[in-house]
Amino acid sequence: ARPVRPARPSGPSRVAVALLAASLLLAGCVGPKEQTTPSAGTGPTDGPTVDPDGGLDAFYGQTVTWSECGEGFECATIAAPLDWDDPSAGAIDLALERAPARDAEARLGSLLVNPGGPGASGIEFLSSAVSYVIGDPVLDAYDVVGFDPRGVGQSSAVECGPDEVVDEFLTTDFPLASQADVEAARERLADFAAVCLEETGPLLGEVDTISAARDMDLIRAVLGDEQLSYLGFSYGTFLGATYAGLYPENVGRLVLDGALDPSMSNDDLVIGQAEGFENALRAYVEDCQRGADCPLEGTVEAGMAQVADLVARAEVDPIPAGDAEVNGTLASYGIVVTLYDDGSWPYLTWALDEALTQGTAVTLHDLANIYLDRTSDGRYTSNSMIAFQAINCLDYPMVERDYEDLVTFTKEVETVAPTFGQRFGMAIGCETWPFPPTGVRQEIHAPGAAPILVIGTTGDPATPYEWSVRLAEQLESAELLTYHGEGHTAYGRGGDCVRDVVETYLLTGELPDGGASC
């Protein structure tokens, strides 16, 4: 089966999931989202001209030109080196959008935001961030700047052919039950990657996180900020920590919410996320069964088994969903997306009740579409899923297992995640991707950096709390804020306590000595 792992974090989940689910409720379907290609009149579509032969000085010396692109927002495009190790190799575009500081006299500078992924669009996230996440005092003091990292969205982006090609790769059930199945899966990945390489070109080999962190320093400099202030969620914490490791002297105020441990291996990530989602599903089932209308009967273990059986049955016999159908992969996506935020649990109850009692999966299909950034008619509204693949294949050392080794590893995953273990463990990775991985998994200490705030949520399914603890321990200047709750990330969804700590830090640079707990 097409794996769910590693799960695709995408910023504060109340924004990324609950608001989209609410639109599903109101409209009866998943409506089209803003396209990743700007239409006429929404901002510049041609990037600035930078002579790569001028080296890095030419890139750092460019001037950014802003234009209005919606009420209260301004857009721009800057140039970055295609290859940071060889600036003469050419340039790519980085797309920016900002909400200018509301109080010019109180302005502290720019605050870059990244919603995670990897592959999520900071531009698409910006309007939600300023409306639902970031508090007024911070909006008064900072130009909040969303950017699409290299390979993503409106920046020079990874492309992998028409939606039908992407859809087959992302959503088809391909069970791995033999070595022949494993070889077939590797061949499918190679075929898909060949399309990506043809459509994207050499950029496909340059979308690693280190390059994206170097882009952030370029953005900092072009915006005129001596130090980088940054708000990163989920994968955005890895991007921010990478930046701190590369440029500790340029660190301003960094908030890293829902952290990844940069020293983790791919296996550690898979096992940790599988266990995280298992625990989140268990918390959901317990909550569901305390209510009167829960479709999951019996004990908590029986309820967990009903969810697992539903996915297994969908893989063998897809569930009707209006004009579509839901297979095992889509069922898994539809379940997982609601576990990012406990505010989305009612939608999971609705979807399970529909599937278990009515034998239809319209809601589960719509929830899967939210996860995929896909409309009800199969059109992808962003390139987030394929950018996710491309970035991770460069960032994590390759793991290659034959069928028997996969079975052994899956059994290890199932010891901590019996419901999700099969889908997280029984999957190929990047064995036949056209570019070898360049990332090195190691601790990041960033000696000499200014104080950094790391936030961990105790019930976080996608970035388990222990990862935030470990990142805070690694970064020499970090303090940890612990949010006791369910769901992915905390700022914007963890109440006044979390908000007060984050915004005091962003406005004054002060952190609670020894950390804090909310």
Side-chain angles (χ1 to χ4, degrees):
R2 176 79 188 159
V4 173
R5 65 90 178 163
R8 192 174 61 91
S10 54
S13 43
R14 185 171 300 279
V15 173
V17 177
L19 291 179
L20 291 177
S23 70
L24 176 155
L25 173 65
L26 293 173
C29 64
V30 179
K33 295 169 62 181
E34 180 182 352
Q35 292 299 295
T36 59
T37 301
S39 58
T42 62
T45 57
D46 296 322
T49 300
V50 171
D51 181 5
D53 289 334
L56 292 181
D57 288 343
F59 288 98
Y60 271 83
Q62 68 187 293
T63 299
V64 61
T65 302
W66 297 96
S67 63
E68 293 185 7
C69 57
E71 187 174 355
F73 296 95
E74 299 173 335
C75 291
T77 304
I78 67 170
L82 167 67
D83 181 351
W84 274 91
D85 294 326
D86 181 11
S88 66
I92 62 169
D93 287 348
L94 297 177
L96 314 177
E97 184 173 335
R98 72 177 179 183
R102 297 174 180 177
D103 185 345
E105 294 183 0
R107 185 180 179 277
L108 296 175
S110 304
L111 176 67
L112 271 63
V113 295
N114 179 276
S121 165
I123 288 178
E124 187 174 305
F125 174 63
L126 182 63
S127 61
S128 296
V130 300
S131 297
Y132 302 104
V133 180
I134 302 172
D136 287 336
V138 176
L139 297 175
D140 288 341
Y142 284 97
D143 298 336
V144 181
V145 180
F147 65 100
D148 284 354
R150 56 175 55 219
V152 176
Q154 296 181 36
S155 294
S156 296
V158 173
E159 299 180 15
C160 293
D163 285 345
E164 309 85 70
V165 172
V166 174
D167 204 51
E168 181 180 8
F169 178 72
L170 293 176
T171 69
T172 306
D173 280 341
F174 290 113
L176 301 183
S178 67
Q179 182 62 31
D181 290 341
V182 172
E183 296 300 332
R186 289 174 178 157
E187 185 174 347
R188 282 191 298 273
L189 174 62
D191 291 343
F192 180 73
V195 176
C196 299
L197 180 57
E198 181 178 0
E199 296 287 331
T200 307
L203 173 64
L204 191 66
E206 303 290 345
V207 293
D208 58 286
T209 294
I210 289 178
S211 294
R214 289 173 173 169
D215 291 342
M216 287 209 302
D217 194 62
L218 175 64
I219 294 171
R220 172 202 61 77
V222 170
L223 295 182
D225 293 303
E226 292 186 4
Q227 294 180 311
L228 177 75
S229 291
Y230 173 76
L231 174 59
F233 299 92
S234 195
Y235 160 81
T237 67
F238 178 44
L239 180 57
T242 300
Y243 179 89
L246 292 171
Y247 305 101
E249 71 281 1
N250 292 345
V251 168
R253 296 167 188 174
L254 268 59
V255 179
L256 309 179
D257 186 0
L260 286 166
D261 174 1
S263 68
M264 283 188 307
S265 68
N266 186 72
D267 285 359
D268 291 337
L269 186 146
V270 170
I271 294 170
Q273 285 196 328
E275 183 176 16
F277 280 102
E278 188 83 15
N279 292 339
L281 180 63
R282 183 176 300 277
Y284 158 76
V285 173
E286 292 174 350
D287 180 78
C288 178
Q289 291 182 335
R290 286 194 290 266
D293 300 320
C294 183
L296 303 175
E297 301 174 347
T299 65
V300 172
E301 293 301 328
M304 297 283 286
Q306 289 172 65
V307 175
D309 289 345
L310 174 66
V311 175
R313 285 189 282 111
E315 186 171 304
V316 175
D317 186 15
I319 307 168
D323 295 333
E325 60 184 17
V326 168
N327 61 9
T329 298
L330 291 174
S332 296
Y333 289 153
I335 291 166
V336 162
V337 75
T338 65
L339 299 179
Y340 282 92
D341 193 305
D342 51 349
S344 298
W345 288 357
Y347 299 102
L348 179 54
T349 299
W350 184 12
L352 291 175
D353 181 71
E354 188 180 74
L356 293 171
T357 65
Q358 302 174 38
T360 62
V362 173
T363 301
L364 203 56
H365 186 260
D366 289 343
L367 289 169
N369 283 337
I370 291 171
Y371 183 93
L372 291 165
D373 284 344
R374 188 181 73 166
T375 64
S376 57
D377 61 358
R379 179 172 54 86
Y380 283 82
T381 62
S382 80
N383 77 328
S384 61
M385 294 294 290
I386 56 177
F388 174 90
Q389 174 86 23
I391 295 166
N392 276 338
C393 281
L394 293 178
D395 278 353
Y396 284 88
M398 186 175 64
V399 177
E400 184 171 354
R401 292 186 170 96
D402 62 21
Y403 174 72
E404 294 301 328
D405 290 336
L406 279 173
V407 170
T408 300
F409 177 64
T410 300
K411 289 179 179 178
E412 180 182 356
V413 181
E414 287 177 327
T415 61
V416 297
T419 305
F420 289 107
Q422 182 74 18
R423 285 193 165 266
F424 276 69
M426 203 68 185
I428 68 162
C430 300
E431 297 98 311
T432 52
W433 198 249
F435 293 95
T438 56
V440 177
R441 311 312 297 184
Q442 59 188 6
E443 293 186 356
I444 296 176
H445 301 289
I452 297 171
L453 177 61
V454 177
I455 309 173
T457 298
T458 56
D460 194 319
T463 52
Y465 174 69
E466 294 78 14
W467 297 358
S468 294
V469 173
R470 293 202 290 267
L471 179 60
E473 290 174 344
Q474 291 171 31
L475 293 169
E476 292 186 4
S477 62
E479 295 286 1
L480 177 67
L481 168 61
T482 297
Y483 171 57
H484 296 273
E486 299 293 333
H488 182 43
T489 72
Y491 181 50
R493 57 179 300 276
D496 290 342
C497 177
V498 172
R499 182 177 297 278
D500 289 346
V501 174
V502 172
E503 297 185 359
T504 296
Y505 167 66
L506 287 174
L507 295 171
T508 70
E510 295 180 5
L511 287 176
D513 188 27
S517 181
C518 293

